[in-house]
Every structure is written in C-alpha cells, then in structure tokens.
Amino acid sequence: MNYVIIVAGGMGARMGSDTPKQFLLLSGLPVMMHTINAFYRSSSSPHIVVVIPSSLHNHWSALCEAHHFGVPHTIAYGGESRFESVKSGLDTIKSMSADLKQSLIAVHDAARPLISPELIDGTYNQAALTGAAALAIKSTDSIRLRSKNGLKNNAYPRELVYLMQTPQTFNGAILSEAYEQPDDETYTDDASVVEKKGYPIVLIDGDTLNIKITFPGDLRIAEMLLGDHTFRRRFG
C-alpha cells in the first residue's frame, strides 16, 4: 500500500498574507488542491493524508465545498513543529495499515504544487528498491560555508552540494522507526530524520520547476508556469 503525508501546517508569514499559503488561490484553486491532484494522478495512487492545524479544518472543508473538490483524502492534525506534524500523519497511517513493512510512505510539502506525477512515481519506485529516496537538485551557484560564529567562510565545491526537495519517500517501517526518535533542531527534512537512525538516503534528480511557494513572487511564477501550455502538458 502506498501513502503520502502532505504537510500543510505552515501559516505562511513570509507571504505577507493573513491566509496560509497552502490556501492561497493558484490558477483558480487553492495551492494545496494542485498538490493533492498531482498525487491523485500519479500511477502510485497513494492514500492521501493531509496534515493541517485543527484550527483550519473548518476552513479547509469550506474550500473543498466551494471548489467542488472531491479527491479522497484523510485529515490529520498538525503539531507544534513539522516533526510533530509528520508524526501525526504517521499515526494516522498506522491506524489504517497493519504492516508498515509492506507500505511506502511519501512526505511532501503542501506548498510544492508543481510536483509532477512522474517525479512522484520515481520516488516510490526507488524507495521500493532501497528503502529511502528523496528528490534533490544540484546547486548551480557558487557555495561558501560560514563558520558558526560568522567570522570565517570558505569556498566549497558546488558539485558536491544538493538542494533537497520533496517528496521524500520511505519504506513505512523505516520512517516509523525514525520518527520514534525525539524531535531535534538539526532535522531539516524527513531524510535527515531517517539518516539519523542510520539509514542511507538515495538521491533522485528533482526539478527546478518543483518550487516551494514561500514568497509572493513564487506564487506569480507558479501562475505563469501553469498558464504555459508546454508546462501543462508536461505537468499533467
């Protein structure tokens, strides 16, 4: 059985809007609906678990009704941190699945609405082989590493640097075991949580168009991409 945990706990303060970024309109639909649709269209056909703050449940239900959004999904309630939100999604999956060893679980940011079904399927296929797979893109910029005190910085080979994306997909038992660890500020994504437990992460080439909606300009870029016929054919 395949699952996806779509994490939608952010309030989007950097968007400068009172509306959480996952609920902002993008080409006529809330951002998160595009995200859910991508997983629904993928060949992997995962059971979709959406993690949102309990305070926004009624708002999400109203949006689904207003947009006649009928893609099946299960709601879980988010925690104080992303770690706790993913763990909440995992607990929901555990209540549905008797054998996590036979399951694959992807974790994806609700604010990445331009993920393609093909990339989604690629992470599931790789995770089925190796247990842990994550999308990443090579850095195209020059890299410098700064010391913790900020007094020194040094050049670093950019060919060794990868920028992580989602989805990140794992064997269900591996992900569940990793999330039995206590939360830690060093966890930057799900791959770092799983890696801390000792499991290697296989990187899959991501896509520069798989952008995360963080700032107002990101929403405008996503609008332009969805309005481009070539992209729409590739995306759909």
Side-chain angles (χ1 to χ4, degrees):
M1 183 68 181
N2 294 333
Y3 299 89
V4 59
I5 299 170
I6 296 178
V7 185
M11 299 305 290
R14 286 174 289 185
M15 287 295 295
S17 170
D18 292 333
T19 303
K21 58 187 178 182
Q22 62 269 26
F23 297 154
L24 293 173
L25 288 182
L26 171 61
S27 294
L29 283 179
V31 165
M32 189 161 68
M33 290 185 184
H34 291 280
T35 307
I36 292 172
N37 277 332
F39 281 87
Y40 186 66
R41 290 197 305 268
S42 71
S43 297
S44 302
S45 301
H47 185 108
I48 299 168
V49 176
V50 177
V51 185
I52 60 175
S54 58
S55 60
L56 295 175
H57 186 190
N58 289 341
H59 183 51
W60 172 244
S61 296
L63 286 174
C64 289
E65 184 175 349
H67 292 278
H68 307 289
F69 189 71
V71 175
H73 62 280
T74 300
I75 295 293
Y77 294 126
E80 292 297 318
S81 66
R82 189 182 189 280
F83 182 94
E84 291 180 3
S85 293
V86 174
K87 195 167 185 177
S88 174
L90 267 172
D91 288 341
T92 299
I93 290 172
K94 288 177 186 177
S95 70
M96 296 185 286
S97 177
D99 188 1
L100 289 181
K101 289 183 179 179
Q102 301 301 317
S103 300
L104 296 173
I105 304 175
V107 185
H108 187 68
D109 301 318
R112 289 189 187 270
L114 304 187
I115 181 64
S116 70
E118 290 75 20
L119 282 180
I120 290 169
D121 292 332
T123 67
Y124 281 103
N125 292 338
Q126 185 62 56
L129 296 173
T130 60
L135 292 183
I137 56 174
K138 290 182 179 179
S139 174
T140 58
D141 296 319
S142 294
I143 301 295
R144 297 191 72 83
L145 296 183
R146 191 176 68 174
S147 62
K148 286 187 177 180
N149 61 18
L151 298 179
K152 292 181 62 179
N153 63 84
N154 301 98
Y156 193 82
R158 67 183 176 191
E159 63 270 16
L160 301 180
V161 175
Y162 282 75
L163 309 179
M164 301 303 291
Q165 297 185 334
T166 64
Q168 299 178 0
T169 306
F170 311 90
N171 173 275
I174 289 175
L175 188 64
S176 178
E177 179 188 354
Y179 270 88
E180 291 172 0
Q181 302 174 106
D183 197 353
D184 191 302
E185 63 180 11
T186 62
Y187 298 149
T188 57
D189 58 3
D190 305 285
S192 60
V193 180
V194 170
E195 184 179 51
K196 183 72 176 287
K197 200 64 181 175
Y199 293 99
I201 308 297
V202 175
L203 298 183
I204 300 174
D205 287 339
D207 193 327
T208 56
L209 300 182
N210 180 24
I211 62 174
K212 187 176 182 180
I213 306 297
T214 304
F215 300 103
D218 300 327
L219 197 63
R220 291 192 289 271
I221 290 170
E223 284 277 4
M224 288 188 290
L225 287 170
L226 286 177
D228 181 85
H229 293 299
T230 301
F231 178 83
R232 286 186 68 86
R233 285 197 299 271
R234 175 173 171 272
F235 182 74

